Amino acid sequence: MSKKSNSGAVLAALLAGAATGVILGLLYAPEEGKETRKKIKDKANDLKDKAVDEYGRTSEIVKDKYSEVSHNVKDKYNSLSSTVKETASNVASTVKDSYDKYKDQIVSKTSDVVKDVETELDGLK
């Protein structure tokens, strides 16, 4: 299980345990029902406020992490993209240079063969 899942589970368990403890403590306290209900309501509101605050804090942390990871992924993509483009350009340049080199050699060899054939044909006349 990931740290985030564990943290969320621990937080939920702590909040549930705290709420249960507060409610049981208030129910068994020797006070009037009206006063007990008011305390339960106040504690429930306090717990709700704490949960909302924790949610907001956790939400900000998640947003910050998302932004950081997103930025890192974009940087890596751009870097990789540049590397691929550069490598493709180098390969294309190498292929073109090799083509030009061998083309000149083939033209030269072809000219030599044509001259040899012409010489042989002249000799046959």
Side-chain angles (χ1 to χ4, degrees):
M1 204 178 256
S2 70
K3 277 187 169 184
K4 289 182 184 178
S5 296
N6 287 339
S7 298
V10 168
L11 179 62
L14 286 174
L15 288 174
T20 302
V22 167
I23 291 170
L24 287 175
L26 290 173
L27 289 174
Y28 286 103
E31 294 178 349
E32 290 184 23
K34 185 176 185 179
E35 186 63 30
T36 300
R37 286 189 297 275
K38 182 181 181 319
K39 284 186 177 183
I40 289 173
K41 182 180 176 184
D42 290 344
K43 288 296 180 180
N45 286 332
D46 288 345
L47 286 173
K48 182 190 86 161
D49 291 342
K50 286 180 184 178
V52 167
D53 290 345
E54 186 62 27
Y55 173 80
R57 189 179 71 75
T58 303
S59 177
E60 285 301 315
I61 290 171
V62 169
K63 286 178 187 175
D64 290 344
K65 285 294 181 186
Y66 172 80
S67 177
E68 179 183 332
V69 169
S70 174
H71 181 71
N72 287 341
V73 167
K74 287 177 185 175
D75 286 348
K76 294 289 182 189
Y77 171 80
N78 289 335
S79 175
L80 181 61
S81 177
S82 293
T83 301
V84 168
K85 286 177 184 175
E86 185 178 323
T87 301
S89 177
N90 289 342
V91 167
S93 177
T94 301
V95 168
K96 184 182 179 315
D97 291 345
S98 295
Y99 170 78
D100 291 341
K101 175 184 170 186
Y102 291 116
K103 180 182 99 176
D104 292 342
Q105 288 178 0
I106 289 171
V107 167
S108 174
K109 294 287 182 186
T110 304
S111 293
D112 291 346
V113 168
V114 167
K115 285 179 187 175
D116 289 345
V117 168
E118 286 176 348
T119 303
E120 288 295 322
L121 287 174
D122 286 341
L124 292 175
K125 288 185 184 177

